[in-house]
Amino acid sequence: MYDLKTESIISKARLALLRNKTWRYLRYLHFRDTLSQIADEIETVCVCGTGHGYAEIAVAAEFPHIDFILTDIIDRQRNYPNYHKAMDMAWQWGVDNVQFSVWNVLKPTRRRFDLIASTEMLEHIEDDKTAALRMGEAATKFLYCLVPFADDESNNTPRKRKRAWEAHEHYVCGYDADKLEALFPNPVLIEGTYWETAGQKFRSSLMGMADSEIIAEQSKLELLAEHDLIKDVPKKLPTALGIKILSRAA
């Protein structure tokens, strides 16, 4: 399907995500799966709150006809942006359809992109409505957002909200389908992520593996992770710990 160079880049980027453990590979997998469904309709993507950017390098290598710009805020206290390793990856591996920049998503921009995407960013922003509005203004075709999932019971419990802030600096425990659709109307899909029967077990297994085991079992792990691509909407915790939406731009 891909030439040898592209296969090598994708494989190396995926391995970096697996070796970094936590939820990183699953974040990539869900973004990649959603993007692949609209890849023929888009030519430009802006990613907000990029973080390290490893996932985007893998996706950009796979879809060379799409131009990606990876953005984050300037925050010296938190050492943002921190996508410098991804910049080096793109340079060394010849992934030429990726640029890097800065965008505070609470502020409007004159720039426009076919797809505006964010992964686990919105919960870190107190004024999430304005952030979603600015994302929508910059999108000409689609919006993608993946966030933690939480039911009303959790979000309405002060103790749990306090814990979410202290542990992760999240202003909310998470979002459900209704809250996401209110922020990003005209949904094409809404699906859970990090399912109890799939992604959560995958992460737990990955965290217990030595680096040498991950390298040796990369192909097996990639196939195992795909079990988390469940086309269903969670209703209660801990059935799923994340939720994603793809919406059409207004």
Side-chain angles (χ1 to χ4, degrees):
M1 183 178 180
Y2 310 113
D3 59 43
L4 292 177
K5 177 187 175 184
T6 301
E7 283 187 5
S8 175
I9 293 169
I10 294 171
S11 179
K12 286 189 289 186
R14 287 177 172 178
L15 182 59
L17 290 162
L18 289 167
R19 293 171 70 181
N20 276 280
K21 300 184 179 182
T22 65
W23 301 107
R24 290 183 182 180
Y25 188 84
L26 292 173
R27 291 173 187 148
Y28 151 74
L29 180 67
H30 283 283
F31 178 48
R32 186 260 169 211
D33 180 68
T34 305
L35 180 71
S36 67
Q37 299 177 49
I38 58 170
D40 292 341
E41 302 179 56
I42 63 175
E43 295 180 353
T44 57
V45 174
C46 176
V47 179
C48 315
T50 295
H52 290 93
Y54 302 162
E56 288 77 9
I57 298 300
V59 174
E62 185 174 358
F63 299 98
H65 74 283
I66 300 175
D67 290 324
F68 292 79
I69 184 163
L70 313 187
T71 72
D72 216 326
I73 61 170
I74 295 176
D75 186 332
R76 291 181 174 83
Q77 184 177 356
R78 293 177 173 83
N79 198 31
Y80 296 154
N82 60 355
Y83 45 54
H84 303 96
K85 177 61 177 177
M87 294 175 73
D88 185 55
M89 285 177 171
W91 183 272
Q92 296 294 335
W93 296 348
V95 183
D96 298 326
N97 55 323
V98 180
Q99 299 181 56
F100 298 82
S101 193
V102 171
W103 180 24
N104 180 344
V105 77
L106 290 171
K107 297 180 179 180
T109 178
R110 295 178 181 176
R111 297 173 185 261
R112 297 293 180 264
F113 304 89
D114 293 338
L115 169 67
I116 300 291
S118 72
T119 296
E120 295 185 25
M121 176 198 76
L122 205 63
E123 67 274 13
H124 292 280
I125 300 175
E126 186 171 14
D127 188 1
D128 56 1
K129 292 182 177 61
T130 296
L133 176 65
R134 299 305 179 214
M135 290 172 66
E137 290 171 349
T140 61
K141 292 186 178 180
F142 296 100
L143 293 132
Y144 170 85
C145 183
L146 188 154
V147 288
F149 167 74
D151 47 39
D152 284 336
E153 179 184 352
S154 297
N155 272 324
N156 293 331
T157 304
R159 171 178 51 84
K160 292 182 178 181
R161 292 280 290 263
K162 184 172 182 289
R163 188 191 311 155
W165 173 257
E166 291 175 345
H168 308 293
E169 293 189 353
H170 293 181
Y171 284 96
V172 293
C173 294
Y175 298 80
D176 60 16
D178 290 340
K179 288 183 174 61
L180 265 188
E181 186 173 351
L183 291 168
F184 303 103
N186 308 314
V188 176
L189 66 81
I190 302 177
E191 296 171 0
T193 68
Y194 318 153
W195 291 90
E196 189 173 27
T197 57
Q200 293 175 44
K201 289 183 178 181
F202 170 82
R203 181 187 188 275
S204 180
S205 297
L206 192 63
M207 293 298 287
M209 295 177 70
D211 194 57
S212 58
E213 292 178 285
I214 294 173
I215 294 170
E217 298 187 27
Q218 179 179 354
S219 297
K220 180 181 176 181
L221 288 167
E222 290 177 8
L223 289 173
L224 186 63
E226 290 189 10
H227 292 165
D228 201 52
L229 297 174
I230 297 173
K231 297 186 181 302
D232 198 4
V233 179
K235 299 294 191 294
K236 297 287 291 183
L237 287 168
T239 307
L241 298 181
I243 189 168
K244 65 182 179 182
I245 188 169
L246 177 70
S247 290
R248 291 196 178 275

Short mmCIF file of all heavy atoms in Angstrom, two decimals, residues 143-179:
data_model
loop_
_atom_site.label_atom_id
_atom_site.label_comp_id
_atom_site.label_asym_id
_atom_site.label_seq_id
_atom_site.Cartn_x
_atom_site.Cartn_y
_atom_site.Cartn_z
N LEU A 143 -14.39 19.50 11.97
CA LEU A 143 -13.76 19.67 13.27
C LEU A 143 -13.65 18.30 13.94
O LEU A 143 -14.60 17.51 13.90
CB LEU A 143 -14.59 20.60 14.17
CG LEU A 143 -14.67 22.05 13.73
CD1 LEU A 143 -16.10 22.53 13.76
CD2 LEU A 143 -13.81 22.91 14.63
N TYR A 144 -12.49 18.05 14.54
CA TYR A 144 -12.28 16.80 15.27
C TYR A 144 -11.85 17.15 16.68
O TYR A 144 -10.98 18.01 16.89
CB TYR A 144 -11.20 15.96 14.60
CG TYR A 144 -10.73 14.76 15.42
CD1 TYR A 144 -11.43 13.56 15.37
CD2 TYR A 144 -9.60 14.85 16.23
CE1 TYR A 144 -11.00 12.46 16.11
CE2 TYR A 144 -9.17 13.75 16.96
CZ TYR A 144 -9.87 12.56 16.90
OH TYR A 144 -9.44 11.48 17.65
N CYS A 145 -12.44 16.46 17.66
CA CYS A 145 -12.06 16.72 19.05
C CYS A 145 -12.17 15.42 19.84
O CYS A 145 -13.21 14.74 19.79
CB CYS A 145 -12.98 17.78 19.65
SG CYS A 145 -12.55 18.25 21.35
N LEU A 146 -11.11 15.08 20.55
CA LEU A 146 -11.12 13.94 21.47
C LEU A 146 -10.84 14.47 22.86
O LEU A 146 -9.88 15.23 23.08
CB LEU A 146 -10.07 12.90 21.07
CG LEU A 146 -10.09 11.57 21.81
CD1 LEU A 146 -9.49 10.45 20.95
CD2 LEU A 146 -9.32 11.62 23.14
N VAL A 147 -11.68 14.08 23.82
CA VAL A 147 -11.59 14.56 25.19
C VAL A 147 -11.87 13.41 26.16
O VAL A 147 -12.39 12.37 25.75
CB VAL A 147 -12.61 15.70 25.46
CG1 VAL A 147 -12.19 16.98 24.77
CG2 VAL A 147 -14.01 15.27 25.02
N PRO A 148 -11.58 13.59 27.44
CA PRO A 148 -12.00 12.58 28.42
C PRO A 148 -13.53 12.47 28.45
O PRO A 148 -14.23 13.46 28.27
CB PRO A 148 -11.47 13.12 29.75
CG PRO A 148 -10.39 14.07 29.38
CD PRO A 148 -10.81 14.67 28.07
N PHE A 149 -14.02 11.26 28.67
CA PHE A 149 -15.45 11.06 28.83
C PHE A 149 -15.81 11.12 30.31
O PHE A 149 -15.07 10.63 31.17
CB PHE A 149 -15.88 9.69 28.28
CG PHE A 149 -17.27 9.29 28.69
CD1 PHE A 149 -18.38 9.91 28.12
CD2 PHE A 149 -17.48 8.33 29.68
CE1 PHE A 149 -19.67 9.57 28.51
CE2 PHE A 149 -18.75 7.98 30.07
CZ PHE A 149 -19.85 8.60 29.48
N ALA A 150 -16.95 11.74 30.61
CA ALA A 150 -17.49 11.70 31.97
C ALA A 150 -19.01 11.82 31.89
O ALA A 150 -19.53 12.53 31.03
CB ALA A 150 -16.91 12.81 32.85
N ASP A 151 -19.69 11.14 32.78
CA ASP A 151 -21.14 11.24 32.85
C ASP A 151 -21.52 12.41 33.75
O ASP A 151 -20.68 13.03 34.43
CB ASP A 151 -21.76 9.93 33.35
CG ASP A 151 -21.04 9.40 34.59
OD1 ASP A 151 -20.66 10.22 35.45
OD2 ASP A 151 -20.87 8.17 34.69
N ASP A 152 -22.79 12.75 33.76
CA ASP A 152 -23.27 13.90 34.55
C ASP A 152 -22.98 13.73 36.04
O ASP A 152 -22.66 14.69 36.74
CB ASP A 152 -24.77 14.12 34.33
CG ASP A 152 -25.07 14.77 32.99
OD1 ASP A 152 -24.16 15.46 32.46
OD2 ASP A 152 -26.19 14.61 32.48
N GLU A 153 -23.11 12.51 36.53
CA GLU A 153 -22.88 12.25 37.95
C GLU A 153 -21.48 12.68 38.37
O GLU A 153 -21.29 13.32 39.40
CB GLU A 153 -23.10 10.77 38.26
CG GLU A 153 -22.86 10.41 39.71
CD GLU A 153 -22.98 8.92 39.99
OE1 GLU A 153 -23.41 8.18 39.06
OE2 GLU A 153 -22.63 8.50 41.09
N SER A 154 -20.50 12.36 37.54
CA SER A 154 -19.12 12.73 37.86
C SER A 154 -18.91 14.23 37.77
O SER A 154 -18.31 14.84 38.67
CB SER A 154 -18.15 12.02 36.90
OG SER A 154 -18.22 10.63 37.05
N ASN A 155 -19.40 14.85 36.70
CA ASN A 155 -19.21 16.29 36.53
C ASN A 155 -19.94 17.12 37.58
O ASN A 155 -19.54 18.24 37.88
CB ASN A 155 -19.65 16.72 35.13
CG ASN A 155 -18.51 16.60 34.12
OD1 ASN A 155 -17.37 16.85 34.44
ND2 ASN A 155 -18.85 16.21 32.91
N ASN A 156 -21.01 16.57 38.13
CA ASN A 156 -21.79 17.30 39.13
C ASN A 156 -21.36 16.98 40.55
O ASN A 156 -22.02 17.43 41.51
CB ASN A 156 -23.28 16.98 38.96
CG ASN A 156 -23.83 17.52 37.65
OD1 ASN A 156 -23.35 18.53 37.14
ND2 ASN A 156 -24.84 16.86 37.10
N THR A 157 -20.27 16.25 40.71
CA THR A 157 -19.75 15.92 42.04
C THR A 157 -18.52 16.78 42.31
O THR A 157 -17.47 16.58 41.68
CB THR A 157 -19.37 14.43 42.13
OG1 THR A 157 -20.51 13.63 41.80
CG2 THR A 157 -18.89 14.09 43.54
N PRO A 158 -18.61 17.79 43.20
CA PRO A 158 -17.47 18.69 43.45
C PRO A 158 -16.18 17.96 43.80
O PRO A 158 -15.10 18.37 43.36
CB PRO A 158 -17.97 19.55 44.61
CG PRO A 158 -19.47 19.54 44.48
CD PRO A 158 -19.81 18.17 43.97
N ARG A 159 -16.28 16.89 44.57
CA ARG A 159 -15.08 16.15 44.96
C ARG A 159 -14.36 15.59 43.74
O ARG A 159 -13.13 15.64 43.65
CB ARG A 159 -15.48 15.02 45.92
CG ARG A 159 -14.37 14.03 46.25
CD ARG A 159 -14.85 12.97 47.23
NE ARG A 159 -16.08 12.35 46.78
CZ ARG A 159 -16.13 11.33 45.91
NH1 ARG A 159 -15.01 10.84 45.40
NH2 ARG A 159 -17.28 10.79 45.57
N LYS A 160 -15.12 15.08 42.77
CA LYS A 160 -14.52 14.52 41.56
C LYS A 160 -13.96 15.62 40.65
O LYS A 160 -12.92 15.45 40.02
CB LYS A 160 -15.54 13.67 40.82
CG LYS A 160 -15.93 12.40 41.58
CD LYS A 160 -16.90 11.55 40.79
CE LYS A 160 -17.22 10.27 41.56
NZ LYS A 160 -18.17 9.39 40.82
N ARG A 161 -14.65 16.76 40.60
CA ARG A 161 -14.13 17.88 39.81
C ARG A 161 -12.80 18.37 40.41
O ARG A 161 -11.86 18.68 39.67
CB ARG A 161 -15.15 19.03 39.79
CG ARG A 161 -16.42 18.76 39.02
CD ARG A 161 -16.21 18.92 37.52
NE ARG A 161 -16.00 20.29 37.12
CZ ARG A 161 -16.96 21.09 36.66
NH1 ARG A 161 -18.21 20.64 36.56
NH2 ARG A 161 -16.70 22.32 36.28
N LYS A 162 -12.75 18.43 41.73
CA LYS A 162 -11.53 18.87 42.42
C LYS A 162 -10.38 17.90 42.13
O LYS A 162 -9.25 18.32 41.87
CB LYS A 162 -11.79 18.96 43.92
CG LYS A 162 -10.62 19.48 44.76
CD LYS A 162 -11.08 19.70 46.20
CE LYS A 162 -9.96 20.28 47.06
NZ LYS A 162 -8.90 19.29 47.34
N ARG A 163 -10.69 16.61 42.14
CA ARG A 163 -9.67 15.61 41.87
C ARG A 163 -9.17 15.72 40.43
O ARG A 163 -7.97 15.56 40.17
CB ARG A 163 -10.23 14.21 42.11
CG ARG A 163 -9.16 13.11 42.02
CD ARG A 163 -9.80 11.73 42.00
NE ARG A 163 -10.78 11.58 43.04
CZ ARG A 163 -11.81 10.72 42.97
NH1 ARG A 163 -11.99 10.00 41.87
NH2 ARG A 163 -12.66 10.61 43.98
N ALA A 164 -10.06 16.00 39.49
CA ALA A 164 -9.67 16.14 38.08
C ALA A 164 -8.70 17.30 37.90
O ALA A 164 -7.75 17.23 37.12
CB ALA A 164 -10.90 16.34 37.21
N TRP A 165 -8.92 18.38 38.65
CA TRP A 165 -8.02 19.52 38.57
C TRP A 165 -6.67 19.22 39.22
O TRP A 165 -5.62 19.49 38.64
CB TRP A 165 -8.64 20.75 39.22
CG TRP A 165 -7.67 21.89 39.29
CD1 TRP A 165 -6.97 22.32 40.37
CD2 TRP A 165 -7.24 22.69 38.18
NE1 TRP A 165 -6.13 23.36 40.02
CE2 TRP A 165 -6.27 23.61 38.68
CE3 TRP A 165 -7.57 22.73 36.83
CZ2 TRP A 165 -5.66 24.55 37.87
CZ3 TRP A 165 -6.95 23.67 36.02
CH2 TRP A 165 -6.00 24.56 36.55
N GLU A 166 -6.72 18.65 40.40
CA GLU A 166 -5.48 18.38 41.13
C GLU A 166 -4.60 17.35 40.42
O GLU A 166 -3.37 17.45 40.44
CB GLU A 166 -5.81 17.91 42.55
CG GLU A 166 -6.41 18.99 43.42
CD GLU A 166 -6.84 18.49 44.78
OE1 GLU A 166 -6.93 17.26 44.98
OE2 GLU A 166 -7.11 19.34 45.67
N ALA A 167 -5.22 16.36 39.79
CA ALA A 167 -4.45 15.30 39.14
C ALA A 167 -3.99 15.68 37.74
O ALA A 167 -2.88 15.31 37.33
CB ALA A 167 -5.28 14.01 39.09
N HIS A 168 -4.84 16.41 36.99
CA HIS A 168 -4.55 16.63 35.57
C HIS A 168 -4.71 18.07 35.10
O HIS A 168 -4.51 18.35 33.92
CB HIS A 168 -5.47 15.75 34.71
CG HIS A 168 -5.48 14.31 35.11
ND1 HIS A 168 -4.38 13.50 34.96
CD2 HIS A 168 -6.46 13.54 35.67
CE1 HIS A 168 -4.67 12.27 35.39
NE2 HIS A 168 -5.93 12.27 35.81
N GLU A 169 -5.09 18.98 35.98
CA GLU A 169 -5.42 20.36 35.61
C GLU A 169 -6.54 20.39 34.56
O GLU A 169 -6.49 21.14 33.60
CB GLU A 169 -4.18 21.12 35.13
CG GLU A 169 -3.17 21.35 36.25
CD GLU A 169 -2.04 22.29 35.85
OE1 GLU A 169 -1.97 22.68 34.66
OE2 GLU A 169 -1.25 22.67 36.74
N HIS A 170 -7.55 19.55 34.78
CA HIS A 170 -8.76 19.54 33.96
C HIS A 170 -9.83 20.36 34.66
O HIS A 170 -10.10 20.15 35.85
CB HIS A 170 -9.28 18.12 33.76
CG HIS A 170 -8.38 17.25 32.94
ND1 HIS A 170 -8.69 15.93 32.64
CD2 HIS A 170 -7.18 17.50 32.33
CE1 HIS A 170 -7.72 15.42 31.90
NE2 HIS A 170 -6.80 16.35 31.70
N TYR A 171 -10.47 21.26 33.92
CA TYR A 171 -11.53 22.06 34.51
C TYR A 171 -12.84 21.29 34.66
O TYR A 171 -13.74 21.71 35.39
CB TYR A 171 -11.77 23.32 33.66
CG TYR A 171 -10.70 24.36 33.85
CD1 TYR A 171 -9.62 24.45 32.98
CD2 TYR A 171 -10.76 25.25 34.93
CE1 TYR A 171 -8.63 25.41 33.16
CE2 TYR A 171 -9.77 26.21 35.12
CZ TYR A 171 -8.71 26.28 34.23
OH TYR A 171 -7.73 27.22 34.42
N VAL A 172 -12.95 20.17 33.94
CA VAL A 172 -14.11 19.28 34.06
C VAL A 172 -13.60 17.85 34.17
O VAL A 172 -12.46 17.56 33.79
CB VAL A 172 -15.06 19.41 32.84
CG1 VAL A 172 -15.71 20.77 32.79
CG2 VAL A 172 -14.30 19.11 31.54
N CYS A 173 -14.46 16.97 34.66
CA CYS A 173 -14.08 15.55 34.67
C CYS A 173 -14.02 15.02 33.24
O CYS A 173 -13.22 14.14 32.93
CB CYS A 173 -15.09 14.74 35.48
SG CYS A 173 -15.09 15.15 37.24
N GLY A 174 -14.91 15.54 32.39
CA GLY A 174 -14.94 15.11 31.01
C GLY A 174 -16.22 15.58 30.34
O GLY A 174 -16.94 16.43 30.87
N TYR A 175 -16.49 15.01 29.20
CA TYR A 175 -17.64 15.40 28.38
C TYR A 175 -18.42 14.15 27.98
O TYR A 175 -17.85 13.07 27.82
CB TYR A 175 -17.19 16.12 27.11
CG TYR A 175 -16.44 17.40 27.37
CD1 TYR A 175 -15.08 17.38 27.72
CD2 TYR A 175 -17.06 18.64 27.26
CE1 TYR A 175 -14.38 18.55 27.95
CE2 TYR A 175 -16.36 19.82 27.49
CZ TYR A 175 -15.03 19.77 27.84
OH TYR A 175 -14.32 20.92 28.08
N ASP A 176 -19.72 14.33 27.80
CA ASP A 176 -20.52 13.26 27.20
C ASP A 176 -20.92 13.68 25.78
O ASP A 176 -20.54 14.76 25.31
CB ASP A 176 -21.74 12.91 28.06
CG ASP A 176 -22.69 14.09 28.26
OD1 ASP A 176 -22.59 15.09 27.50
OD2 ASP A 176 -23.54 14.01 29.16
N ALA A 177 -21.68 12.84 25.11
CA ALA A 177 -22.03 13.11 23.72
C ALA A 177 -22.82 14.41 23.57
O ALA A 177 -22.59 15.19 22.64
CB ALA A 177 -22.82 11.93 23.14
N ASP A 178 -23.75 14.67 24.49
CA ASP A 178 -24.57 15.88 24.39
C ASP A 178 -23.73 17.14 24.55
O ASP A 178 -23.92 18.12 23.82
CB ASP A 178 -25.67 15.85 25.46
CG ASP A 178 -26.74 14.80 25.18
OD1 ASP A 178 -26.85 14.38 24.02
OD2 ASP A 178 -27.43 14.41 26.13
N LYS A 179 -22.80 17.13 25.50
CA LYS A 179 -21.95 18.31 25.72
C LYS A 179 -21.03 18.55 24.52
O LYS A 179 -20.79 19.70 24.13
CB LYS A 179 -21.15 18.14 27.01
CG LYS A 179 -21.98 18.27 28.29
CD LYS A 179 -21.09 18.18 29.52
CE LYS A 179 -21.90 18.46 30.80
NZ LYS A 179 -22.99 17.50 31.00
#
